[in-house]
Amino acid sequence: MAEQKKNQKFSIIELDGVKYKTLFPDSYKNRKKYEPDNPKLIKAVIPGTIVKVYVRKGKKVEEGDNLLQLEAMKMQTYVQAHISGKVKAVNIKKGQMISKGYIMIELE
């Protein structure tokens, strides 16, 4: 057991100017690296049903324009464009049930 501890490689992290020696578990070492979200992909933040789609492929949208209406837990939510652009693809249709993270609309 003592031999195993000797062979372990410690990592140094610094928090608030203080250095700490630590061991990271395999689950941390093998985690998926962080990738920022692509702002041109409009993804569902909750699962729900598409009530209405206000855009089609090729339409220009301005920041704040309604893109679609989503119903989740008996509440209606309007999803708006957070950037201006042109609609590259609409991956949804009225009545479709979608899951969290589903790419609903793609902008150019």
Side-chain angles (χ1 to χ4, degrees), residues 22-31:
T22 188
L23 290 173
F24 290 111
D26 289 338
S27 60
Y28 177 82
K29 293 174 188 173
N30 299 328
R31 76 192 186 284

Side-chain angles (χ1 to χ4, degrees), residues 5 7 10 32 34 40 65 67-68 73 92:
K5 285 188 177 183
N7 295 333
F10 287 91
K32 182 181 174 189
Y34 171 76
K40 295 181 179 183
D65 287 352
L67 301 175
L68 62 105
M73 301 183 337
I92 53 170

Side-chain angles (χ1 to χ4, degrees), residues 72-90:
M73 301 183 337
K74 297 185 180 182
M75 295 188 327
Q76 305 279 328
T77 303
Y78 291 91
V79 177
Q80 299 178 334
H82 54 279
I83 59 172
S84 298
K86 187 176 177 183
V87 177
K88 179 179 179 181
V90 178

Side-chain angles (χ1 to χ4, degrees), residues 12-74:
I12 305 294
I13 61 171
E14 186 173 335
L15 299 171
D16 295 330
V18 179
K19 291 184 180 180
Y20 297 91
K21 188 163 81 169
T22 188
L23 290 173
F24 290 111
D26 289 338
S27 60
Y28 177 82
K29 293 174 188 173
N30 299 328
R31 76 192 186 284
K32 182 181 174 189
K33 300 296 182 196
Y34 171 76
E35 293 179 21
D37 283 336
N38 182 345
K40 295 181 179 183
L41 300 178
I42 310 299
K43 295 181 181 181
V45 294
I46 56 174
T49 304
I50 304 299
V51 176
K52 188 166 184 167
V53 181
Y54 296 106
V55 295
R56 63 186 183 290
K57 183 178 178 179
K59 182 177 180 183
K60 290 185 180 182
V61 294
E62 297 294 323
E63 183 178 345
D65 287 352
N66 286 332
L67 301 175
L68 62 105
Q69 187 177 352
L70 177 72
E71 181 178 310
M73 301 183 337
K74 297 185 180 182

